[in-house]
Amino acid sequence: MKKDVYVSDPWWKNSVVYQVYPRSFFDFNDDGVGDLKGLWAHASRLAALGIGAVWLSPVYVSPMRDNGYDIANYDAIDPTFGSLDDLDDVIDILHSLGIRLIMDLVVNHTSSDHPWFKESCDPDSPKRDWYIWRSRRSECTPNEGAGPGEWRGDEPNQWRSAFSGPTWTWHEPSQSYYMHLFSPEQPDLNWENPELRQEIYAMMRRWLDRGVDGFRMDVINLISKPENLYEDGPGGLDRAMFGPRFHEYMQEMRREVFDAYPDRTFLTVGETPGATPDQASLTTDPTRRELDMVFQFEHMGLDSADGDKFHPKPLHLPDMKENLARWCRELEGRGWNALYLSNHDQPRPVSRFGNDREYRHQSATAWGAMLHAHKGTPFVYQGEEIGMANFPWESIDQFNDVETINYWRECVELGGQDPTQVWPGIVAMSRDNARTPVQWADLPHGGFGSSATPWLPVNPDYSQVNVSDQASDPNSTWCFYQTMIGLRDSYEILTEGSFELLQAEDEHLWWVRREWHGEILDAVANMSDEPYELALPEGEVLLANYPDAAEHRSTGVLRPWETVWIWR
Ligand code: TEU
């Protein structure tokens, strides 16, 4: 039934979480980079959108090799973003607006600038074992001339880093390799070391003591490595996923950190590349006391031609429909899912899956409406709520992202591939598509706040696509998201209802049905540029992306990218 206000137990089941990538959110101090004061200054705008929590990407001290996902001090704020006082101000204003703050926890690895790693480079240091060091394979003859990101040939294994090149970097002074699943500047921590784990838990408690309401845990399912790292054959992140002690560590973390605050309800969401519904159920089953929910990645790989994200192919919609449905079905009663299409690592959904030219508003809202109709906690990434699109890149020199730059170097500069063959995948799939500054207004630099040139270029479409214009237009994408998010506070069916996918094989129509105590909510969308004939079910139109949807429904035709939520 419709309620005045429905608050789920726990709170995060019916909240919508908004991700802020701080360097691209708003630049308050006019240096061309977003900052914490920028978040503070726009907190009321987030409250108006109706979100219940903010996930803040890392703001800790970092050399920014991976824009903060390479932490050099877990207890201090990088001056780029401000100070601890600024973070306290953000916590205070968000809490005053009824919004919780989830911090990004990056503890699979640190920055190579972290003092821990510098101490660990000394074989006699008590912190040597805080990282993963291995001797070379003595039976192999190394290529001593190998440069950064190149293979020597005597690495412990042939795993490829997520950011190209080997997962191992040779440390000459100690005649050893150290492991890094990501860049060489992001050495992996050794979670086998109990002293290291206790140090991480103590750090987490210090943030919770400061008022933080939980954590998004970066690649948390990679922290437990296989016992023997010497192996032949190809590999990469996949060889470290859900390792032998992962669940043990998650249950220990729950006991050592979160259970120390029995009167508070936190949100813990694990980023778990490679997760299946079964592994997600093991990780999020409340009786196992590990994490509350996870980010899966299966649906983010459906438009890859061969498993390489930079080899995209058109999405076959039934694949997406079935994947999201399978996750709903298989987590039902066993765990909880984080619902997302967009974040700081993924290209903009309206460009990737929609039509960002002729049907920008309609396709952006159709994808949003169908995602939010599924069972789980929806995550909205900054700019998604106004339909921000991929950037029109012209040169590899415009990119900042380490993954993109390393991939180009591996393929073109080292691999000799034809740049014209590599370029389209870079343009379509680079993480920098999600990292261009938020477009606040039809002002210089899109109102990003700075007269200074922003660290990444602002999409030139900011005059047509910006928060200020859309927040005052009832038919805008921003207002659609505001309405959609608000419905979650009144309609318990969206959080608790059963889930059913109808017409699963249809390549244009997406129809999700939720049921709850005799209520039915139908979320329907024509996910194409062509009209679609369909007699809609009876009921109240709660949400629509065409202003005349209620009248138009009698025609029995869904217009291009038309979506409606109908409740009875
Ligand atoms: O990303 C984890 C991850 O799997 C990435 O390789 C991601 O899938 C890829 O970039 C998609 O193209 C997390 C963070 O979200 C990312 O920003 C960091 O770069 C990475 O971990 C290392 O911390």
Tab-separated table of all heavy atoms in Angstrom, residues 66 69 106 109 162-163 182 186 216 218-219 237 271 273 297 309 344-346 403 431 435, ligand 1:
chain	number	residue	atom	x	y	z
A	66	ASP	N	46.117	6.858	-9.579
A	66	ASP	CA	44.825	6.304	-9.963
A	66	ASP	C	43.717	7.148	-9.328
A	66	ASP	O	42.703	6.655	-8.843
A	66	ASP	CB	44.733	4.825	-9.508
A	66	ASP	CG	43.490	4.132	-10.062
A	66	ASP	OD1	42.858	4.676	-10.993
A	66	ASP	OD2	43.141	3.051	-9.527
A	69	TYR	N	42.620	6.142	-5.776
A	69	TYR	CA	42.523	4.703	-5.454
A	69	TYR	C	43.909	4.131	-5.203
A	69	TYR	O	44.138	2.925	-5.347
A	69	TYR	CB	41.767	3.968	-6.559
A	69	TYR	CG	40.263	4.224	-6.486
A	69	TYR	CD1	39.684	5.300	-7.159
A	69	TYR	CD2	39.441	3.443	-5.686
A	69	TYR	CE1	38.322	5.565	-7.053
A	69	TYR	CE2	38.074	3.699	-5.576
A	69	TYR	CZ	37.534	4.767	-6.263
A	69	TYR	OH	36.190	5.033	-6.147
A	106	VAL	N	39.782	1.479	0.308
A	106	VAL	CA	40.655	0.841	-0.679
A	106	VAL	C	41.751	0.132	0.101
A	106	VAL	O	42.779	0.725	0.452
A	106	VAL	CB	41.259	1.878	-1.645
A	106	VAL	CG1	42.048	1.181	-2.757
A	106	VAL	CG2	40.180	2.779	-2.223
A	109	HIS	N	45.097	-2.738	-1.712
A	109	HIS	CA	46.410	-2.198	-2.026
A	109	HIS	C	46.532	-0.776	-1.464
A	109	HIS	O	45.524	-0.147	-1.113
A	109	HIS	CB	46.620	-2.167	-3.548
A	109	HIS	CG	45.484	-1.540	-4.296
A	109	HIS	ND1	44.393	-2.271	-4.758
A	109	HIS	CD2	45.213	-0.256	-4.619
A	109	HIS	CE1	43.534	-1.463	-5.345
A	109	HIS	NE2	43.988	-0.240	-5.261
A	162	ALA	N	45.404	-5.412	-14.198
A	162	ALA	CA	44.185	-4.794	-14.750
A	162	ALA	C	44.529	-3.543	-15.529
A	162	ALA	O	43.741	-3.076	-16.348
A	162	ALA	CB	43.217	-4.453	-13.632
A	163	PHE	N	45.717	-3.001	-15.253
A	163	PHE	CA	46.132	-1.776	-15.956
A	163	PHE	C	47.280	-2.070	-16.909
A	163	PHE	O	48.185	-1.252	-17.103
A	163	PHE	CB	46.514	-0.702	-14.947
A	163	PHE	CG	45.360	-0.208	-14.114
A	163	PHE	CD1	45.568	0.461	-12.945
A	163	PHE	CD2	44.051	-0.448	-14.504
A	163	PHE	CE1	44.509	0.907	-12.171
A	163	PHE	CE2	42.982	-0.026	-13.747
A	163	PHE	CZ	43.215	0.661	-12.574
A	182	PHE	N	46.936	-4.017	-9.908
A	182	PHE	CA	46.648	-2.820	-10.685
A	182	PHE	C	47.968	-2.189	-11.117
A	182	PHE	O	48.815	-2.905	-11.664
A	182	PHE	CB	45.688	-1.905	-9.896
A	182	PHE	CG	44.335	-2.543	-9.707
A	182	PHE	CD1	44.046	-3.306	-8.580
A	182	PHE	CD2	43.372	-2.444	-10.700
A	182	PHE	CE1	42.833	-3.949	-8.438
A	182	PHE	CE2	42.135	-3.072	-10.558
A	182	PHE	CZ	41.877	-3.834	-9.432
A	186	GLN	N	50.557	0.695	-7.105
A	186	GLN	CA	49.496	0.242	-6.202
A	186	GLN	C	49.802	-1.165	-5.674
A	186	GLN	O	49.115	-2.118	-5.999
A	186	GLN	CB	48.154	0.250	-6.945
A	186	GLN	CG	47.686	1.649	-7.340
A	186	GLN	CD	46.504	1.647	-8.295
A	186	GLN	OE1	46.659	1.319	-9.480
A	186	GLN	NE2	45.332	1.991	-7.783
A	216	ARG	N	32.105	1.674	0.996
A	216	ARG	CA	32.135	0.946	-0.276
A	216	ARG	C	33.529	0.375	-0.327
A	216	ARG	O	34.498	1.134	-0.213
A	216	ARG	CB	31.843	1.886	-1.444
A	216	ARG	CG	31.973	1.256	-2.822
A	216	ARG	CD	33.357	1.476	-3.407
A	216	ARG	NE	33.461	1.028	-4.786
A	216	ARG	CZ	34.590	1.033	-5.486
A	216	ARG	NH1	35.707	1.462	-4.917
A	216	ARG	NH2	34.609	0.603	-6.747
A	218	ASP	N	36.556	-1.285	-2.096
A	218	ASP	CA	37.167	-1.411	-3.415
A	218	ASP	C	37.766	-2.805	-3.625
A	218	ASP	O	38.585	-3.248	-2.819
A	218	ASP	CB	38.282	-0.362	-3.504
A	218	ASP	CG	38.842	-0.221	-4.890
A	218	ASP	OD1	38.101	0.218	-5.774
A	218	ASP	OD2	40.026	-0.546	-5.091
A	219	VAL	N	37.344	-3.480	-4.690
A	219	VAL	CA	37.833	-4.810	-5.064
A	219	VAL	C	38.100	-5.689	-3.842
A	219	VAL	O	39.095	-6.390	-3.758
A	219	VAL	CB	39.101	-4.747	-5.955
A	219	VAL	CG1	38.765	-4.217	-7.325
A	219	VAL	CG2	40.214	-3.935	-5.295
A	237	LEU	N	43.109	-10.576	-12.547
A	237	LEU	CA	42.211	-10.426	-11.398
A	237	LEU	C	41.451	-11.728	-11.121
A	237	LEU	O	41.184	-12.079	-9.972
A	237	LEU	CB	41.191	-9.317	-11.663
A	237	LEU	CG	41.650	-7.879	-11.819
A	237	LEU	CD1	40.447	-6.939	-11.780
A	237	LEU	CD2	42.669	-7.486	-10.772
A	271	GLU	N	32.749	-4.058	-3.663
A	271	GLU	CA	32.924	-4.110	-5.114
A	271	GLU	C	33.594	-5.449	-5.404
A	271	GLU	O	34.720	-5.681	-4.957
A	271	GLU	CB	33.794	-2.963	-5.622
A	271	GLU	CG	33.900	-2.965	-7.140
A	271	GLU	CD	35.110	-2.231	-7.669
A	271	GLU	OE1	36.127	-2.174	-6.970
A	271	GLU	OE2	35.020	-1.701	-8.783
A	273	PRO	N	34.431	-7.727	-8.438
A	273	PRO	CA	34.549	-8.176	-9.826
A	273	PRO	C	34.491	-9.701	-9.914
A	273	PRO	O	35.115	-10.378	-9.090
A	273	PRO	CB	35.914	-7.662	-10.285
A	273	PRO	CG	36.510	-6.930	-9.154
A	273	PRO	CD	35.574	-6.895	-8.018
A	297	PHE	N	29.481	-7.504	-11.701
A	297	PHE	CA	30.055	-6.976	-12.939
A	297	PHE	C	29.575	-7.711	-14.185
A	297	PHE	O	29.908	-7.320	-15.300
A	297	PHE	CB	31.588	-7.078	-12.888
A	297	PHE	CG	32.264	-5.988	-12.109
A	297	PHE	CD1	32.117	-5.903	-10.733
A	297	PHE	CD2	33.049	-5.044	-12.745
A	297	PHE	CE1	32.743	-4.900	-10.004
A	297	PHE	CE2	33.681	-4.041	-12.028
A	297	PHE	CZ	33.532	-3.971	-10.653
A	309	LYS	N	37.239	-5.108	-22.463
A	309	LYS	CA	36.252	-4.003	-22.411
A	309	LYS	C	36.457	-3.017	-23.549
A	309	LYS	O	35.539	-2.336	-23.980
A	309	LYS	CB	36.337	-3.271	-21.079
A	309	LYS	CG	37.671	-2.588	-20.808
A	309	LYS	CD	37.643	-1.785	-19.526
A	309	LYS	CE	37.074	-0.395	-19.747
A	309	LYS	NZ	37.185	0.463	-18.544
A	344	HIS	N	32.279	5.673	-11.662
A	344	HIS	CA	33.464	6.391	-12.152
A	344	HIS	C	34.336	5.530	-13.057
A	344	HIS	O	35.333	6.009	-13.620
A	344	HIS	CB	34.266	6.894	-10.961
A	344	HIS	CG	34.820	5.784	-10.143
A	344	HIS	ND1	34.035	4.937	-9.371
A	344	HIS	CD2	36.078	5.330	-10.000
A	344	HIS	CE1	34.794	4.037	-8.788
A	344	HIS	NE2	36.042	4.238	-9.151
A	345	ASP	N	33.987	4.237	-13.164
A	345	ASP	CA	34.771	3.325	-14.012
A	345	ASP	C	34.072	2.986	-15.320
A	345	ASP	O	34.686	2.341	-16.186
A	345	ASP	CB	35.006	1.988	-13.282
A	345	ASP	CG	35.950	2.114	-12.118
A	345	ASP	OD1	36.787	3.036	-12.112
A	345	ASP	OD2	35.832	1.291	-11.187
A	346	GLN	N	32.805	3.350	-15.459
A	346	GLN	CA	32.021	2.904	-16.608
A	346	GLN	C	31.655	4.097	-17.493
A	346	GLN	O	31.365	5.183	-16.985
A	346	GLN	CB	30.725	2.215	-16.131
A	346	GLN	CG	30.941	0.995	-15.240
A	346	GLN	CD	31.668	-0.151	-15.937
A	346	GLN	OE1	31.648	-0.256	-17.168
A	346	GLN	NE2	32.320	-1.008	-15.166
A	403	GLU	N	44.230	3.453	-16.613
A	403	GLU	CA	43.843	2.223	-17.330
A	403	GLU	C	43.846	2.473	-18.839
A	403	GLU	O	44.380	1.678	-19.610
A	403	GLU	CB	42.443	1.773	-16.887
A	403	GLU	CG	41.957	0.521	-17.604
A	403	GLU	CD	40.505	0.195	-17.315
A	403	GLU	OE1	39.649	1.099	-17.462
A	403	GLU	OE2	40.233	-0.959	-16.952
A	431	ARG	N	37.311	5.105	-18.920
A	431	ARG	CA	36.714	5.544	-17.650
A	431	ARG	C	36.623	7.065	-17.583
A	431	ARG	O	35.790	7.624	-16.864
A	431	ARG	CB	37.548	5.007	-16.490
A	431	ARG	CG	37.685	3.496	-16.487
A	431	ARG	CD	38.256	2.942	-15.210
A	431	ARG	NE	39.596	3.464	-14.894
A	431	ARG	CZ	40.265	3.084	-13.788
A	431	ARG	NH1	39.699	2.246	-12.929
A	431	ARG	NH2	41.467	3.570	-13.540
A	435	ARG	N	34.277	10.798	-15.968
A	435	ARG	CA	35.019	11.657	-15.038
A	435	ARG	C	35.111	13.106	-15.502
A	435	ARG	O	35.745	13.914	-14.842
A	435	ARG	CB	36.415	11.064	-14.827
A	435	ARG	CG	36.350	9.640	-14.266
A	435	ARG	CD	37.700	8.956	-14.150
A	435	ARG	NE	37.535	7.611	-13.590
A	435	ARG	CZ	38.547	6.805	-13.260
A	435	ARG	NH1	39.800	7.228	-13.432
A	435	ARG	NH2	38.309	5.606	-12.766
B	1	TEU	O1	37.957	-0.933	-9.874
B	1	TEU	C1	38.075	-2.341	-9.861
B	1	TEU	C2	38.088	-2.919	-11.201
B	1	TEU	O2	37.826	-4.078	-11.387
B	1	TEU	C3	38.501	-2.058	-12.316
B	1	TEU	O3	39.471	-2.768	-13.048
B	1	TEU	C4	37.304	-1.786	-13.163
B	1	TEU	O4	36.559	-2.958	-13.335
B	1	TEU	C5	37.774	-1.344	-14.501
B	1	TEU	O5	38.431	-0.143	-14.266
B	1	TEU	C6	36.585	-1.177	-15.426
B	1	TEU	O6	37.076	-0.644	-16.619
B	1	TEU	C7	38.254	-0.371	-8.591
B	1	TEU	C8	37.972	1.106	-8.656
B	1	TEU	O7	36.578	1.320	-8.896
B	1	TEU	C9	38.806	1.692	-9.759
B	1	TEU	O8	38.512	3.070	-9.963
B	1	TEU	C10	40.269	1.514	-9.386
B	1	TEU	O9	41.056	1.964	-10.463
B	1	TEU	C11	40.586	0.040	-9.089
B	1	TEU	O10	39.620	-0.604	-8.278
B	1	TEU	C12	41.895	-0.047	-8.322
B	1	TEU	O11	41.701	0.503	-7.040
